[in-house]
Amino acid sequence: MKNLILQHWNGPLPLWAEKCKKSIEDYAELVGADYQLLSGYPFITPPDKFEIKPWTVIQKIHMLSEVYDSYDDVLMLDMDMMAISRFPVDNIFNYEGIGRLHLKSMSGLNNSRSKLWPKLYKEGAPAFFGNCVKLTKRERVILRSACDKQVILDASNEDLPPNDEVIMHYLMHKTKVLSDKNTLELPHDRFCDLVEEAHPEATIIHFCGPRKNHIK
């Protein structure tokens, strides 16, 4: 098995991001995976009318690119994900799931995605948090086949292009790629969750928002 871990950041890394990157690089080495930090606009260049931030999340859809077809699994992590050194190492690539389901988003209740990007949203279809997404080669190829960049841009609202979560949700619904997958979720308390939610012996923790300023 040949696996890859990706992250994306455009521009100089703040100190917290340097710490997180180093931890994920070290983790990749421990589990025998390759690591790559993406920069710039590998997936799509947002129109000038949109604010472009270092963490422009739409770029994470680049994980579907054919340039990674030599890899069995590709894992895309937010820049504020930190791996905690524990032995024996818990290898995320040994688990079948994709990430953590965004159940509130799927329910349609108080859902910003359906309000911001109604052209891409389908109530009840699988939706995952974007901080940790792991896809097999088969899944990436099928999702890529339905990934029309112009359709994605045309679904933008006045302020924002669609984010990675709603794009992936749209592609999964359109392709039905997960219809015969037995396990959708990773053990998210060990690989995906916030500091206050994570298992005491979690391997990868999400330091979202102001939490990243308190990384030891």
Side-chain angles (χ1 to χ4, degrees):
M1 295 287 286
K2 185 180 178 184
N3 302 315
L4 172 68
I5 300 178
L6 295 174
Q7 292 183 291
H8 175 268
W9 190 268
N10 192 27
L13 291 175
L15 181 58
W16 63 263
E18 290 181 358
K19 294 178 181 178
C20 288
K21 175 179 179 289
K22 179 64 166 59
S23 76
I24 299 300
E25 285 183 299
D26 290 347
Y27 179 72
E29 184 174 357
L30 287 172
V31 299
D34 290 340
Y35 174 87
Q36 185 178 351
L37 176 65
L38 302 174
S39 62
Y41 312 110
F43 175 65
I44 198 168
T45 302
D48 292 339
K49 67 177 181 176
F50 296 127
E51 181 183 3
I52 298 178
K53 300 177 179 178
W55 59 90
T56 309
V57 292
I58 194 172
Q59 306 304 331
K60 291 191 286 181
I61 300 299
H62 186 63
M63 73 179 298
L64 304 181
S65 173
E66 65 276 4
V67 302
Y68 304 124
D69 282 355
S70 62
Y71 290 98
D72 298 288
D73 282 3
V74 173
L75 171 66
M76 174 62 81
L77 297 176
D78 273 2
M79 204 68 237
D80 54 8
M81 297 285 278
M82 173 166 275
I84 309 300
S85 296
R86 300 191 190 284
F87 295 94
V89 177
D90 197 1
N91 188 347
I92 193 171
F93 294 105
N94 289 340
Y95 297 88
E96 182 184 352
I98 288 172
R100 181 180 181 180
L101 284 169
H102 201 313
L103 299 177
K104 182 178 179 181
S105 176
M106 292 169 62
S107 73
L109 299 175
N110 300 317
N111 180 9
S112 61
R113 290 155 190 79
S114 63
K115 296 174 183 176
L116 291 172
W117 306 291
K119 294 180 182 179
L120 301 180
Y121 179 75
K122 178 65 175 179
E123 184 175 333
F128 291 88
F129 285 92
N131 62 303
C132 177
V133 175
K134 180 171 67 67
L135 297 170
T136 67
K137 178 181 177 179
R138 172 186 172 273
E139 290 159 355
R140 300 192 309 274
V141 171
I142 293 174
L143 292 168
R144 184 170 73 229
S145 71
C147 188
D148 186 319
K149 294 180 181 180
Q150 192 56 53
V151 168
I152 290 169
L153 283 178
D154 288 346
S156 303
N157 62 33
E158 294 181 357
D159 302 314
L160 292 170
N163 67 16
D164 58 313
E165 293 181 3
V166 76
I167 295 170
M168 201 69 79
H169 161 82
Y170 164 76
L171 296 176
M172 288 176 176
H173 167 67
K174 186 173 181 180
T175 62
K176 303 295 189 291
V177 66
L178 304 183
S179 59
D180 58 353
K181 192 176 181 76
N182 294 322
T183 303
L184 295 184
E185 289 195 291
L186 291 168
H188 55 78
D189 62 335
R190 292 184 175 272
F191 295 110
C192 308
D193 286 358
L194 298 172
V195 179
E196 62 271 20
E197 300 173 334
H199 190 280
E201 296 183 356
T203 298
I204 304 177
I205 298 174
H206 192 196
F207 284 84
C208 182
R211 298 169 186 82
K212 60 177 60 71
N213 298 316
H214 302 289
I215 294 174
K216 303 293 187 182

